[in-house]
Amino acid sequence: MPLVGTDYVELYVGNAKQSAHYYKTAFGFQSLAYAGPETGVRDRVSYVLMQDKIRLILTSPLNSDHPIAEHHKKHGDGVKVLALWVDDAYDAYEQTIQRGGKSYMEPQTLTDDHGEIRMSGIHTYGEVVHIFVERKNYRGVFMPGFVPWKSDYNPSPVGLKYVDHCVGNVGWNQMNPWVKFYEDVMGFRNILSFDDKDISTEYSALMSKVMSNGNGYVKFPINEPAEGKKRSQVEEYLDFYEGEGVQHIAVATSNIIETVRDLQSRGVDFLRVPQNYYDHILDRVGHIDEDLKPLSELGILIDRDDEGYLLQIFTKPVEDRPTMFFEIIQRKGAKSFGKGNFKALFEALEQEQALRGNL
Ligand code: FE2
């Protein structure tokens, strides 16, 4: 099934107005569009933010008797929609339903003075859904029902360019069924697998399979917990999110050193690996274009696959519950992922987990 890329990511949050301020101030997103009582939507508000190709929607309900309020009560802030940009939303729906997808939104056409958007949607793991968005005949800022959001407060972008991948945490023994869903229903391939020996520490473990669509523009790794002496990070997520959901959204930059420096100065907290991570790193990953010093000062990790290397770093969770976080990634030839960073990263995550009393 042809996918052009990620269209938007929608979070259900407790207070969309304040979340929007955070994503503008801390992550450099720009105001794009708005829907709410002023535009005729009576039961919720949505702020649409943009940075280069990334669109982020923050939505909150306006009363307690609303499905979004139920979602937020159960999960806290979290991702509801991973929207995919398609050439034909009606065809995407028909194909995926025919192959066993569960309907979330029947195909519909929304129109206004700027043209039409066609969309449809299916369920995936947990309460997350994929919405297929077809926008080739639309010229407005976002989609019908939204008005341009003009703001006098416009912090500068930090160089985030596009959504690189979105990772899902699923329950015990649920990774393979969801891998099969992405293969059978969505036409994805499993491009890489990590077993519990690849990703384990003294205490806990997880397993992960990376699913990719045909052109590689959409990647959905799926994690499940694995047996260990203590509770793994995936279990901590499942306990606090009260179910399966999106663990992290990875966003790409073309200059990770500048982007991370900027994000840190704006108050974004990152996970830190032990400084000895950098002692023999170049023996493992080979030559890199960047100086090691700024990478080690900022805590940026380095890994490689057969085609090149990549630089990545993970934020701490961005809400009160230890659930969703962001990854900042810069690809230098690598199109997939390496296996080298997982152990260091996992140990850093466990240190945080122990501080919360959840290990
Ligand atoms: Fe990632």
Side-chain angles (χ1 to χ4, degrees):
M1 192 178 67
L3 298 176
V4 189
T6 303
D7 195 274
Y8 66 85
V9 176
E10 181 170 15
L11 276 68
Y12 284 173
V13 298
N15 187 336
K17 181 184 280 188
Q18 289 191 3
S19 290
H21 187 78
Y22 170 76
Y23 283 105
K24 287 170 70 169
T25 304
F27 282 86
F29 280 91
Q30 309 295 302
S31 303
L32 182 68
Y34 170 81
E38 300 85 346
T39 71
V41 177
R42 306 303 306 170
D43 62 340
R44 64 187 189 279
V45 290
S46 293
Y47 292 85
V48 187
L49 307 170
M50 191 168 77
Q51 191 162 178
D52 204 324
K53 294 194 175 67
I54 310 165
R55 293 191 199 94
L56 186 68
I57 309 185
L58 303 160
T59 295
S60 290
L62 292 176
N63 57 68
S64 61
D65 181 27
H66 195 288
I68 299 173
E70 290 302 316
H71 191 282
H72 188 262
K73 182 184 175 196
K74 186 170 171 66
H75 302 297
D77 289 4
V79 173
K80 175 63 184 179
V81 182
L82 294 173
L84 300 167
W85 180 11
V86 297
D87 282 329
D88 187 333
Y90 282 60
D91 181 57
Y93 184 82
E94 239 161 67
Q95 281 195 42
T96 50
I97 294 294
Q98 207 171 58
R99 298 188 211 132
K102 209 172 114 212
S103 176
Y104 172 72
M105 179 196 289
E106 294 207 350
Q108 51 178 280
T109 303
L110 309 175
T111 56
D112 66 10
D113 296 346
H114 307 289
E116 66 171 40
I117 292 264
R118 304 208 304 167
M119 59 204 292
S120 62
I122 61 169
H123 289 270
T124 178
Y125 52 81
E127 291 197 67
V128 182
V129 299
H130 289 310
I131 290 185
F132 304 116
V133 183
E134 172 190 333
R135 51 172 70 254
K136 58 176 177 282
N137 295 315
Y138 195 69
R139 291 160 310 279
V141 287
F142 180 56
M143 59 171 64
F146 287 80
V147 296
W149 172 20
K150 301 242 189 306
S151 173
D152 294 330
Y153 177 64
N154 301 299
S156 59
V158 299
L160 302 177
K161 293 197 163 320
Y162 59 89
V163 174
D164 186 275
H165 60 276
C166 297
V167 180
N169 279 342
V170 299
W172 292 93
N173 305 312
Q174 292 303 305
M175 178 177 69
N176 286 326
W178 286 109
V179 163
K180 200 165 155 41
F181 164 85
Y182 279 103
E183 283 172 348
D184 294 352
V185 176
M186 302 282 284
F188 282 40
R189 286 180 306 124
N190 174 211
I191 57 164
L192 190 63
S193 299
F194 301 96
D195 65 22
D196 48 350
K197 279 163 221 66
D198 294 319
I199 318 178
S200 66
T201 68
E202 195 187 338
Y203 299 120
S204 66
L206 69 83
M207 296 190 283
S208 187
K209 286 189 177 172
V210 181
M211 305 308 294
S212 173
N213 80 318
N215 59 20
Y217 291 169
V218 180
K219 289 193 265 296
F220 293 141
I222 309 286
N223 298 333
E224 77 170 35
E227 287 296 344
K229 284 188 211 157
K230 296 191 180 181
R231 181 156 70 158
S232 82
Q233 51 157 303
V234 179
E235 281 176 278
E236 187 195 34
Y237 175 99
L238 295 169
D239 289 348
F240 279 87
Y241 198 67
E242 298 189 23
E244 301 178 340
V246 173
Q247 180 210 38
H248 72 268
I249 301 165
V251 284
T253 167
S254 53
N255 189 335
I256 198 167
I257 293 172
E258 276 182 18
T259 296
V260 171
R261 207 169 261 152
D262 207 353
L263 288 167
Q264 285 188 355
S265 75
R266 293 164 181 236
V268 176
D269 287 327
F270 290 91
L271 277 181
R272 299 302 299 233
V273 291
Q275 207 54 31
N276 65 14
Y277 169 87
Y278 296 95
D279 288 353
H280 304 287
I281 186 71
L282 295 181
D283 299 340
R284 181 159 70 72
V285 298
H287 171 78
I288 58 169
D289 303 332
E290 295 73 14
D291 287 333
L292 203 52
K293 194 161 176 283
L295 296 176
S296 68
E297 280 167 4
L298 294 165
I300 295 165
L301 309 177
I302 313 151
D303 215 335
R304 71 158 46 249
D305 67 7
D306 339 324
E307 292 173 275
Y309 68 97
L310 58 88
L311 304 163
Q312 60 188 166
I313 189 167
F314 300 82
T315 72
K316 292 185 181 177
V318 291
E319 56 288 298
D320 300 317
R321 302 191 197 190
T323 52
M324 194 196 75
F325 57 89
F326 283 86
E327 170 183 346
I328 313 299
I329 183 168
Q330 181 179 4
R331 293 188 178 276
K332 306 280 298 244
K335 295 197 184 71
S336 178
F337 301 94
K339 290 194 172 182
N341 279 338
F342 272 104
K343 200 175 168 66
L345 184 67
F346 209 51
E347 282 169 352
L349 277 166
E350 275 182 359
Q351 283 173 14
E352 299 284 317
Q353 213 180 315
L355 286 175
R356 293 190 285 262
N358 294 333
L359 184 60

